[in-house]
Coordinates of all heavy atoms in Angstrom, one line a residue:
M1 N -28.8 -7.6 5.6 CA -28.7 -7.4 4.2 C -28.4 -6.0 3.8 O -29.1 -5.1 4.3 CB -30.0 -7.9 3.5 CG -29.8 -8.3 2.1 SD -31.4 -8.4 1.2 CE -31.9 -10.0 1.7
T2 N -27.5 -5.8 2.9 CA -27.2 -4.4 2.5 C -27.8 -4.2 1.2 O -27.3 -4.6 0.2 CB -25.7 -4.1 2.5 OG1 -25.0 -5.3 2.3 CG2 -25.2 -3.3 3.7
E3 N -28.9 -3.5 1.2 CA -29.6 -3.2 -0.1 C -28.9 -2.1 -0.8 O -28.8 -2.1 -2.0 CB -31.1 -2.9 0.1 CG -31.9 -4.1 0.3 CD -33.4 -3.8 0.3 OE1 -33.8 -2.9 -0.4 OE2 -34.1 -4.4 1.1
H4 N -28.5 -1.1 0.0 CA -27.9 0.1 -0.6 C -26.4 0.0 -0.5 O -25.8 0.4 0.5 CB -28.4 1.3 0.1 CG -29.4 2.1 -0.8 ND1 -30.7 1.7 -0.9 CD2 -29.2 3.2 -1.6 CE1 -31.3 2.6 -1.7 NE2 -30.4 3.5 -2.1
M5 N -25.7 -0.4 -1.5 CA -24.3 -0.4 -1.5 C -23.8 1.0 -1.9 O -24.5 1.7 -2.7 CB -23.7 -1.4 -2.5 CG -24.1 -2.8 -2.3 SD -23.1 -3.6 -1.1 CE -21.6 -3.9 -2.1
H6 N -22.7 1.4 -1.3 CA -22.2 2.7 -1.6 C -21.7 2.7 -3.1 O -21.1 1.7 -3.5 CB -21.0 3.1 -0.7 CG -21.5 3.2 0.7 ND1 -22.2 4.2 1.2 CD2 -21.2 2.4 1.7 CE1 -22.4 4.0 2.5 NE2 -21.8 2.9 2.9
G7 N -21.9 3.8 -3.7 CA -21.4 3.9 -5.1 C -19.9 3.7 -5.1 O -19.3 3.3 -6.1
N8 N -19.3 4.0 -4.0 CA -17.9 3.9 -3.8 C -17.4 2.4 -4.1 O -16.3 2.2 -4.6 CB -17.4 4.2 -2.4 CG -17.2 5.7 -2.3 OD1 -17.1 6.4 -3.4 ND2 -17.0 6.3 -1.1
C9 N -18.2 1.5 -3.7 CA -17.9 0.1 -3.8 C -17.7 -0.2 -5.3 O -16.7 -0.9 -5.7 CB -19.0 -0.8 -3.3 SG -19.0 -0.8 -1.5
A10 N -18.6 0.2 -6.1 CA -18.5 0.0 -7.6 C -17.2 0.6 -8.1 O -16.5 0.0 -8.9 CB -19.7 0.5 -8.3
N11 N -17.0 1.8 -7.7 CA -15.8 2.6 -8.1 C -14.6 1.8 -7.7 O -13.6 1.6 -8.5 CB -15.8 3.9 -7.4 CG -16.4 5.0 -8.3 OD1 -16.6 4.8 -9.5 ND2 -16.9 6.0 -7.7
L12 N -14.5 1.4 -6.5 CA -13.4 0.8 -6.0 C -13.1 -0.5 -6.7 O -12.0 -0.8 -7.2 CB -13.6 0.5 -4.5 CG -12.3 0.0 -3.7 CD1 -12.3 0.5 -2.3 CD2 -12.3 -1.5 -3.7
L13 N -14.1 -1.3 -6.8 CA -13.9 -2.6 -7.4 C -13.6 -2.5 -8.9 O -12.9 -3.3 -9.5 CB -15.2 -3.5 -7.3 CG -15.5 -3.9 -5.8 CD1 -16.8 -4.6 -5.8 CD2 -14.4 -4.6 -5.2
G14 N -14.1 -1.4 -9.5 CA -13.8 -1.1 -10.9 C -12.3 -0.8 -11.1 O -11.7 -1.2 -12.1
S15 N -11.6 -0.2 -10.1 CA -10.2 0.1 -10.3 C -9.3 -0.8 -9.4 O -8.2 -0.4 -9.1 CB -10.0 1.6 -10.0 OG -10.7 2.0 -8.9
L16 N -9.9 -1.9 -9.0 CA -9.2 -2.8 -8.1 C -7.9 -3.3 -8.7 O -6.9 -3.3 -8.0 CB -10.1 -3.9 -7.6 CG -9.6 -4.7 -6.5 CD1 -9.5 -3.9 -5.2 CD2 -10.5 -5.9 -6.2
S17 N -8.0 -3.8 -9.9 CA -6.8 -4.3 -10.5 C -5.7 -3.3 -10.7 O -4.6 -3.6 -10.5 CB -7.2 -4.9 -11.9 OG -7.7 -3.9 -12.8
E18 N -6.1 -2.1 -11.0 CA -5.1 -1.0 -11.1 C -4.5 -0.7 -9.8 O -3.3 -0.4 -9.6 CB -5.8 0.2 -11.7 CG -6.0 0.1 -13.2 CD -6.9 1.3 -13.7 OE1 -8.0 1.4 -13.2 OE2 -6.4 2.0 -14.5
Y19 N -5.4 -0.7 -8.8 CA -4.9 -0.5 -7.4 C -3.9 -1.5 -7.0 O -2.8 -1.2 -6.4 CB -6.1 -0.5 -6.4 CG -5.7 -0.5 -5.0 CD1 -5.1 0.7 -4.4 CD2 -5.9 -1.6 -4.2 CE1 -4.8 0.7 -3.1 CE2 -5.5 -1.6 -2.9 CZ -5.0 -0.4 -2.3 OH -4.6 -0.4 -1.0
I20 N -4.2 -2.8 -7.3 CA -3.3 -3.9 -6.9 C -2.0 -3.7 -7.7 O -0.9 -4.0 -7.2 CB -3.9 -5.2 -7.2 CG1 -5.1 -5.4 -6.1 CG2 -2.9 -6.3 -7.0 CD1 -5.9 -6.6 -6.4
D21 N -2.1 -3.3 -8.9 CA -0.9 -3.2 -9.8 C -0.1 -2.0 -9.4 O 1.0 -1.8 -9.8 CB -1.4 -2.9 -11.3 CG -1.7 -4.3 -12.0 OD1 -1.4 -5.3 -11.4 OD2 -2.2 -4.2 -13.1
G22 N -0.7 -1.1 -8.5 CA 0.0 0.1 -8.2 C 0.0 1.1 -9.2 O 0.8 2.0 -9.3
A23 N -1.0 1.0 -10.1 CA -1.1 1.9 -11.2 C -1.9 3.2 -10.9 O -2.0 4.1 -11.7 CB -1.8 1.2 -12.4
L24 N -2.4 3.2 -9.7 CA -3.2 4.4 -9.3 C -2.3 5.4 -8.6 O -1.3 5.1 -8.0 CB -4.4 4.0 -8.4 CG -5.4 3.1 -9.0 CD1 -6.5 2.8 -7.9 CD2 -6.1 3.7 -10.2
S25 N -2.8 6.7 -8.7 CA -2.0 7.7 -8.0 C -2.2 7.5 -6.5 O -3.1 6.9 -6.0 CB -2.6 9.1 -8.4 OG -3.9 9.3 -7.8
P26 N -1.2 8.0 -5.8 CA -1.2 7.9 -4.3 C -2.5 8.4 -3.7 O -3.0 7.9 -2.7 CB 0.0 8.8 -3.9 CG 0.9 8.8 -5.0 CD 0.1 8.7 -6.2
E27 N -3.0 9.5 -4.3 CA -4.3 10.1 -3.8 C -5.4 9.1 -3.9 O -6.2 8.9 -3.0 CB -4.6 11.3 -4.6 CG -3.8 12.5 -4.1 CD -4.2 13.8 -4.9 OE1 -5.2 13.7 -5.6 OE2 -3.5 14.8 -4.7
L28 N -5.5 8.4 -5.1 CA -6.6 7.5 -5.3 C -6.4 6.3 -4.3 O -7.3 5.7 -3.8 CB -6.6 7.0 -6.7 CG -7.4 7.9 -7.7 CD1 -7.2 7.4 -9.1 CD2 -8.8 7.8 -7.3
C29 N -5.1 5.9 -4.2 CA -4.8 4.8 -3.3 C -5.4 5.1 -1.9 O -5.9 4.2 -1.2 CB -3.3 4.5 -3.2 SG -2.8 3.6 -4.7
Q30 N -5.1 6.3 -1.5 CA -5.6 6.7 -0.1 C -7.1 6.6 -0.1 O -7.7 6.2 0.9 CB -5.1 8.1 0.1 CG -3.8 8.2 0.9 CD -3.4 9.6 1.4 OE1 -4.3 10.5 1.3 NE2 -2.3 9.7 1.9
E31 N -7.7 7.1 -1.1 CA -9.2 7.1 -1.1 C -9.7 5.6 -1.0 O -10.6 5.3 -0.2 CB -9.7 7.6 -2.5 CG -9.6 9.1 -2.6 CD -10.6 9.8 -1.6 OE1 -11.8 9.4 -1.6 OE2 -10.1 10.7 -0.8
I32 N -9.0 4.8 -1.7 CA -9.4 3.3 -1.7 C -9.2 2.7 -0.3 O -10.0 2.0 0.2 CB -8.7 2.6 -2.8 CG1 -9.3 2.9 -4.2 CG2 -8.7 1.1 -2.6 CD1 -8.6 2.2 -5.3
E33 N -8.0 3.1 0.2 CA -7.7 2.5 1.5 C -8.6 3.0 2.6 O -9.0 2.3 3.5 CB -6.2 2.8 1.9 CG -5.3 1.8 1.3 CD -3.9 2.3 1.1 OE1 -3.5 3.3 1.7 OE2 -3.2 1.7 0.3
K34 N -9.0 4.2 2.4 CA -10.0 4.8 3.4 C -11.3 4.0 3.3 O -11.9 3.7 4.3 CB -10.3 6.3 3.0 CG -10.1 7.3 4.1 CD -10.4 8.6 3.4 CE -10.4 9.8 4.1 NZ -10.7 11.0 3.3
H35 N -11.7 3.8 2.1 CA -13.0 3.1 1.9 C -12.8 1.6 2.4 O -13.7 1.1 3.1 CB -13.3 3.0 0.4 CG -14.6 2.2 0.1 ND1 -15.8 2.8 0.1 CD2 -14.7 0.9 -0.1 CE1 -16.7 1.8 -0.2 NE2 -16.1 0.7 -0.3
L36 N -11.7 1.0 2.2 CA -11.5 -0.3 2.6 C -11.5 -0.4 4.1 O -12.0 -1.4 4.7 CB -10.1 -0.8 2.1 CG -10.0 -1.2 0.6 CD1 -8.6 -1.4 0.2 CD2 -10.9 -2.4 0.3
A37 N -11.0 0.6 4.8 CA -11.0 0.6 6.2 C -12.4 0.5 6.8 O -12.6 -0.1 7.9 CB -10.3 1.9 6.7
G38 N -13.4 1.0 6.1 CA -14.7 1.0 6.6 C -15.7 0.1 5.9 O -16.9 0.0 6.1
C39 N -15.2 -0.7 4.9 CA -16.0 -1.5 4.1 C -15.4 -2.9 4.1 O -14.5 -3.2 3.3 CB -16.2 -1.0 2.7 SG -17.3 -1.9 1.7
E40 N -16.0 -3.8 4.9 CA -15.4 -5.2 5.0 C -15.6 -5.9 3.7 O -14.8 -6.7 3.2 CB -16.1 -5.9 6.1 CG -15.3 -7.1 6.6 CD -16.0 -7.9 7.6 OE1 -16.8 -7.3 8.4 OE2 -15.7 -9.1 7.7
N41 N -16.7 -5.6 3.0 CA -17.1 -6.3 1.8 C -15.9 -6.1 0.8 O -15.5 -7.1 0.2 CB -18.4 -5.7 1.2 CG -18.8 -6.4 0.0 OD1 -19.0 -7.6 0.0 ND2 -19.0 -5.7 -1.1
C42 N -15.5 -4.9 0.6 CA -14.5 -4.6 -0.4 C -13.1 -5.2 0.1 O -12.3 -5.6 -0.7 CB -14.3 -3.1 -0.6 SG -15.7 -2.4 -1.6
R43 N -12.9 -5.2 1.4 CA -11.7 -5.8 1.9 C -11.6 -7.3 1.5 O -10.5 -7.8 1.1 CB -11.6 -5.6 3.4 CG -10.9 -4.3 3.7 CD -11.3 -3.8 5.1 NE -10.6 -4.7 6.1 CZ -10.9 -4.6 7.4 NH1 -11.7 -3.7 7.9 NH2 -10.3 -5.4 8.2
V44 N -12.7 -7.9 1.6 CA -12.8 -9.4 1.3 C -12.4 -9.5 -0.2 O -11.7 -10.4 -0.6 CB -14.2 -10.0 1.6 CG1 -14.3 -11.4 1.1 CG2 -14.4 -10.0 3.1
V45 N -13.1 -8.7 -1.0 CA -12.8 -8.8 -2.4 C -11.3 -8.5 -2.7 O -10.7 -9.3 -3.5 CB -13.7 -7.8 -3.2 CG1 -13.4 -7.9 -4.7 CG2 -15.1 -8.0 -2.9
L46 N -10.8 -7.5 -2.1 CA -9.4 -7.2 -2.3 C -8.5 -8.3 -1.9 O -7.6 -8.7 -2.7 CB -9.0 -5.9 -1.5 CG -7.5 -5.6 -1.6 CD1 -7.2 -5.1 -3.0 CD2 -7.2 -4.5 -0.6
N47 N -8.7 -8.9 -0.8 CA -7.9 -10.0 -0.3 C -8.0 -11.2 -1.2 O -7.0 -11.8 -1.5 CB -8.3 -10.4 1.1 CG -7.8 -9.4 2.2 OD1 -6.8 -8.7 1.9 ND2 -8.5 -9.3 3.3
T48 N -9.2 -11.5 -1.6 CA -9.4 -12.6 -2.5 C -8.6 -12.4 -3.8 O -7.9 -13.3 -4.3 CB -10.8 -12.8 -2.8 OG1 -11.6 -12.9 -1.6 CG2 -11.1 -14.1 -3.5
T49 N -8.8 -11.2 -4.3 CA -8.1 -10.9 -5.6 C -6.6 -11.0 -5.5 O -5.9 -11.6 -6.3 CB -8.5 -9.5 -6.1 OG1 -10.0 -9.4 -6.0 CG2 -8.1 -9.3 -7.5
K50 N -6.1 -10.3 -4.4 CA -4.7 -10.3 -4.2 C -4.1 -11.7 -4.0 O -3.1 -12.0 -4.6 CB -4.4 -9.5 -2.9 CG -4.0 -8.1 -3.1 CD -3.6 -7.5 -1.8 CE -2.8 -6.2 -2.0 NZ -2.6 -5.5 -0.7
R51 N -4.8 -12.5 -3.3 CA -4.3 -13.9 -3.0 C -4.3 -14.7 -4.3 O -3.4 -15.4 -4.6 CB -5.2 -14.6 -2.0 CG -4.9 -14.1 -0.6 CD -5.6 -15.0 0.4 NE -5.0 -16.3 0.5 CZ -5.3 -17.2 1.4 NH1 -6.1 -16.9 2.4 NH2 -4.7 -18.4 1.5
T52 N -5.3 -14.5 -5.1 CA -5.4 -15.2 -6.4 C -4.3 -14.8 -7.3 O -3.6 -15.6 -7.9 CB -6.8 -15.0 -7.0 OG1 -7.8 -15.1 -6.1 CG2 -7.0 -15.9 -8.2
I53 N -4.1 -13.5 -7.4 CA -3.0 -13.0 -8.2 C -1.7 -13.5 -7.7 O -0.8 -13.9 -8.5 CB -3.0 -11.4 -8.2 CG1 -4.3 -11.0 -9.0 CG2 -1.8 -10.9 -8.9 CD1 -4.4 -9.5 -9.0
D54 N -1.5 -13.5 -6.4 CA -0.3 -14.0 -5.8 C 0.0 -15.4 -6.3 O 1.1 -15.8 -6.5 CB -0.5 -13.9 -4.3 CG 0.7 -13.2 -3.7 OD1 1.2 -12.2 -4.2 OD2 1.3 -13.7 -2.7
L55 N -1.1 -16.2 -6.3 CA -0.9 -17.6 -6.7 C -0.5 -17.8 -8.1 O 0.4 -18.6 -8.4 CB -2.2 -18.3 -6.4 CG -2.6 -18.6 -5.0 CD1 -3.9 -19.3 -4.9 CD2 -1.5 -19.5 -4.3
V56 N -1.0 -17.0 -9.0 CA -0.7 -17.2 -10.4 C 0.5 -16.4 -10.9 O 1.1 -16.7 -11.9 CB -1.9 -16.8 -11.3 CG1 -3.0 -17.8 -11.1 CG2 -2.4 -15.4 -10.9
Q57 N 0.8 -15.3 -10.1 CA 2.0 -14.6 -10.5 C 3.2 -15.1 -9.8 O 3.4 -14.9 -8.6 CB 1.8 -13.1 -10.2 CG 1.2 -12.3 -11.3 CD 1.2 -10.8 -11.0 OE1 1.5 -10.4 -9.9 NE2 0.8 -10.0 -11.9
S58 N 4.0 -15.8 -10.6 CA 5.2 -16.4 -10.0 C 6.3 -15.3 -10.0 O 6.4 -14.5 -10.9 CB 5.7 -17.6 -10.7 OG 4.8 -17.9 -11.7
P59 N 7.2 -15.4 -9.1 CA 8.3 -14.5 -9.0 C 9.3 -14.5 -10.1 O 9.6 -15.6 -10.7 CB 9.0 -14.9 -7.7 CG 8.6 -16.3 -7.4 CD 7.3 -16.4 -8.0
A60 N 9.7 -13.4 -10.5 CA 10.8 -13.1 -11.4 C 10.9 -14.0 -12.7 O 10.6 -13.4 -13.8 CB 12.1 -13.2 -10.7
E61 N 11.2 -15.2 -12.5 CA 11.7 -16.0 -13.7 C 10.6 -16.1 -14.8 O 10.8 -16.0 -16.0 CB 12.1 -17.3 -13.3 CG 13.4 -17.3 -12.6 CD 14.1 -18.6 -12.4 OE1 13.6 -19.6 -13.0 OE2 15.0 -18.8 -11.7
Q62 N 9.3 -16.3 -14.3 CA 8.3 -16.5 -15.3 C 7.8 -15.1 -15.8 O 7.7 -14.2 -15.0 CB 7.2 -17.3 -14.7 CG 7.6 -18.7 -14.4 CD 6.5 -19.7 -14.4 OE1 5.3 -19.3 -14.7 NE2 6.7 -20.9 -14.0
P63 N 7.4 -15.1 -17.0 CA 6.8 -13.9 -17.6 C 5.5 -13.5 -16.9 O 4.8 -14.4 -16.4 CB 6.6 -14.2 -19.1 CG 6.5 -15.7 -19.1 CD 7.4 -16.2 -18.0
L64 N 5.1 -12.3 -17.0 CA 3.8 -11.9 -16.4 C 2.7 -12.5 -17.2 O 2.8 -12.9 -18.3 CB 3.7 -10.3 -16.5 CG 4.6 -9.6 -15.5 CD1 4.5 -8.1 -15.8 CD2 4.3 -9.9 -14.1
L65 N 1.6 -12.5 -16.5 CA 0.4 -13.1 -17.2 C 0.0 -12.3 -18.4 O 0.0 -11.0 -18.3 CB -0.8 -13.1 -16.2 CG -0.8 -14.1 -15.1 CD1 -1.9 -13.8 -14.2 CD2 -0.9 -15.5 -15.6
P66 N -0.3 -12.9 -19.4 CA -0.9 -12.2 -20.6 C -2.2 -11.6 -20.1 O -2.9 -12.1 -19.3 CB -1.1 -13.3 -21.6 CG -0.4 -14.5 -21.1 CD -0.2 -14.4 -19.6
E67 N -2.5 -10.5 -20.8 CA -3.7 -9.8 -20.4 C -5.0 -10.7 -20.5 O -5.9 -10.6 -19.7 CB -3.9 -8.6 -21.4 CG -3.3 -7.3 -20.8 CD -3.7 -6.1 -21.6 OE1 -4.8 -6.1 -22.2 OE2 -2.8 -5.2 -21.8
D68 N -4.9 -11.5 -21.5 CA -6.0 -12.4 -21.7 C -6.3 -13.2 -20.4 O -7.4 -13.3 -19.9 CB -5.7 -13.4 -22.8 CG -6.9 -14.3 -23.2 OD1 -8.0 -13.7 -23.2 OD2 -6.7 -15.5 -23.4
V69 N -5.3 -13.8 -19.9 CA -5.4 -14.6 -18.7 C -5.9 -13.8 -17.5 O -6.7 -14.2 -16.7 CB -4.0 -15.3 -18.3 CG1 -4.2 -16.1 -17.1 CG2 -3.6 -16.2 -19.5
R70 N -5.3 -12.6 -17.4 CA -5.7 -11.7 -16.3 C -7.2 -11.4 -16.4 O -7.9 -11.4 -15.4 CB -4.9 -10.4 -16.4 CG -3.5 -10.5 -15.9 CD -2.8 -9.2 -16.0 NE -3.6 -8.2 -15.2 CZ -3.1 -7.7 -14.1 NH1 -2.0 -8.1 -13.6 NH2 -3.8 -6.8 -13.4
E71 N -7.6 -11.1 -17.6 CA -9.0 -10.8 -17.7 C -9.9 -11.9 -17.3 O -10.9 -11.7 -16.6 CB -9.3 -10.4 -19.2 CG -10.4 -9.5 -19.4 CD -10.5 -9.0 -20.8 OE1 -9.6 -8.4 -21.3 OE2 -11.5 -9.4 -21.4
R72 N -9.5 -13.1 -17.7 CA -10.3 -14.2 -17.3 C -10.2 -14.5 -15.8 O -11.2 -14.9 -15.2 CB -9.8 -15.5 -18.0 CG -10.4 -15.6 -19.4 CD -9.6 -16.5 -20.3 NE -9.5 -17.9 -19.9 CZ -8.8 -18.8 -20.5 NH1 -8.1 -18.5 -21.6 NH2 -8.8 -20.0 -20.1
L73 N -9.1 -14.2 -15.3 CA -8.9 -14.3 -13.8 C -9.9 -13.4 -13.1 O -10.6 -13.9 -12.2 CB -7.5 -14.0 -13.4 CG -7.2 -13.9 -11.9 CD1 -7.4 -15.3 -11.3 CD2 -5.8 -13.4 -11.7
F74 N -9.9 -12.2 -13.5 CA -10.8 -11.2 -12.8 C -12.3 -11.6 -13.1 O -13.1 -11.4 -12.2 CB -10.5 -9.8 -13.3 CG -9.4 -9.2 -12.6 CD1 -8.1 -9.1 -13.1 CD2 -9.6 -8.8 -11.3 CE1 -7.1 -8.5 -12.4 CE2 -8.5 -8.2 -10.5 CZ -7.3 -8.1 -11.1
K75 N -12.5 -12.1 -14.2 CA -13.9 -12.5 -14.5 C -14.3 -13.7 -13.6 O -15.4 -13.8 -13.1 CB -14.0 -12.9 -16.0 CG -14.5 -11.8 -16.8 CD -14.9 -12.3 -18.2 CE -15.2 -11.1 -19.1 NZ -15.1 -11.4 -20.5
R76 N -13.3 -14.6 -13.4 CA -13.6 -15.8 -12.6 C -14.0 -15.4 -11.2 O -14.7 -16.1 -10.5 CB -12.4 -16.7 -12.6 CG -12.6 -17.9 -13.4 CD -11.5 -18.9 -13.1 NE -11.9 -19.9 -12.1 CZ -11.2 -20.9 -11.8 NH1 -10.1 -21.2 -12.5 NH2 -11.6 -21.8 -11.0
L77 N -13.4 -14.3 -10.8 CA -13.6 -13.9 -9.4 C -15.0 -13.3 -9.2 O -15.5 -13.1 -8.1 CB -12.6 -12.8 -9.0 CG -11.2 -13.3 -8.9 CD1 -10.2 -12.1 -8.7 CD2 -11.0 -14.2 -7.7
N78 N -15.7 -13.1 -10.4 CA -17.1 -12.6 -10.3 C -17.2 -11.4 -9.4 O -18.0 -11.4 -8.5 CB -18.0 -13.7 -9.8 CG -18.2 -14.8 -10.8 OD1 -18.3 -14.5 -12.0 ND2 -18.3 -16.0 -10.4
L79 N -16.5 -10.4 -9.7 CA -16.6 -9.2 -8.9 C -18.0 -8.6 -8.9 O -18.5 -8.1 -7.9 CB -15.6 -8.1 -9.4 CG -14.1 -8.4 -9.3 CD1 -13.3 -7.3 -9.7 CD2 -13.8 -8.8 -7.8
D80 N -18.7 -8.8 -10.0 CA -20.0 -8.3 -10.1 C -20.9 -8.9 -9.1 O -21.9 -8.3 -8.6 CB -20.6 -8.6 -11.5 CG -20.1 -7.6 -12.5 OD1 -19.4 -6.6 -12.1 OD2 -20.3 -7.9 -13.7
D81 N -20.6 -10.1 -8.7 CA -21.4 -10.8 -7.7 C -21.4 -10.0 -6.4 O -22.4 -10.0 -5.7 CB -20.7 -12.1 -7.4 CG -21.7 -13.3 -7.7 OD1 -22.5 -13.1 -8.7 OD2 -21.6 -14.3 -7.0
Y82 N -20.4 -9.3 -6.1 CA -20.3 -8.6 -4.9 C -21.1 -7.3 -5.0 O -21.6 -6.7 -4.0 CB -18.9 -8.2 -4.5 CG -18.1 -9.4 -4.1 CD1 -17.3 -10.1 -5.1 CD2 -18.1 -9.9 -2.8 CE1 -16.6 -11.2 -4.7 CE2 -17.3 -11.0 -2.5 CZ -16.6 -11.7 -3.4 OH -15.9 -12.8 -3.1
L83 N -21.3 -6.9 -6.2 CA -22.1 -5.6 -6.4 C -23.6 -5.8 -6.5 O -24.4 -5.1 -6.0 CB -21.6 -4.9 -7.6 CG -20.1 -4.5 -7.6 CD1 -19.7 -3.8 -8.9 CD2 -19.9 -3.4 -6.5
N84 N -23.9 -6.9 -7.1 CA -25.3 -7.2 -7.3 C -25.9 -7.9 -6.1 O -25.8 -9.1 -6.0 CB -25.5 -8.1 -8.5 CG -25.0 -7.4 -9.8 OD1 -25.1 -6.2 -9.9 ND2 -24.6 -8.1 -10.7
T85 N -26.4 -7.1 -5.2 CA -26.9 -7.7 -4.0 C -28.3 -8.3 -4.1 O -28.9 -8.9 -3.3 CB -26.9 -6.7 -2.8 OG1 -27.6 -5.5 -3.3 CG2 -25.5 -6.4 -2.5
G86 N -29.0 -7.9 -5.2 CA -30.3 -8.5 -5.5 C -30.6 -8.2 -6.9 O -30.0 -7.4 -7.5
S87 N -31.6 -9.0 -7.4 CA -31.9 -8.8 -8.8 C -33.0 -7.7 -8.9 O -33.9 -7.7 -8.1 CB -32.3 -10.1 -9.4 OG -33.3 -10.7 -8.6
G88 N -32.9 -6.9 -10.0 CA -33.9 -6.1 -10.3 C -33.9 -4.7 -9.7 O -34.9 -4.0 -9.8
Ligands
LIG1 ZN1 -17.0 -1.0 -0.4

């Protein structure tokens, strides 16, 4: 059981959507990738998120997801779940 999650995890998951969108600077991307290399937990979250987005984002012809849907999508993934390792 990991009681002490790195603060990095919260940071990373916080900017995960931007990272996937490619909205982060190359430097930040490197930081994130560095963290991912050593943090399986975050890798799982990233993969799950990516796959989910992949499923809902259809190629070219269809319009991008409205922000509303995206937000709900990320909420559905319950990212917080990965951060809250215990109550209290
Ligand atoms: Zn992590």
Side-chain angles (χ1 to χ4, degrees):
M1 201 197 277
T2 21
E3 277 187 38
H4 253 80
M5 300 275 286
H6 299 289
N8 274 348
C9 289
N11 269 337
L12 189 146
L13 295 178
S15 40
L16 192 63
S17 62
E18 283 170 302
Y19 170 70
I20 292 172
D21 277 351
L24 295 180
S25 71
E27 280 182 11
L28 273 175
C29 285
Q30 269 191 3
E31 286 292 310
I32 285 181
E33 272 154 22
K34 231 180 179 176
H35 177 90
L36 286 171
C39 185
E40 201 184 333
N41 186 55
C42 285
R43 274 160 66 185
V44 170
V45 179
L46 174 70
N47 281 336
T48 310
T49 310
K50 263 186 165 174
R51 282 189 73 167
T52 312
I53 289 175
D54 230 43
L55 285 177
V56 288
Q57 269 188 354
S58 357
E61 288 193 11
Q62 292 203 8
L64 290 175
L65 284 176
E67 269 188 34
D68 185 44
V69 178
R70 282 180 60 105
E71 207 173 296
R72 273 158 68 183
L73 172 67
F74 276 102
K75 266 190 187 163
R76 251 193 98 171
L77 291 172
N78 285 325
L79 292 184
D80 281 350
D81 241 32
Y82 292 93
L83 296 176
N84 298 329
T85 51
S87 49

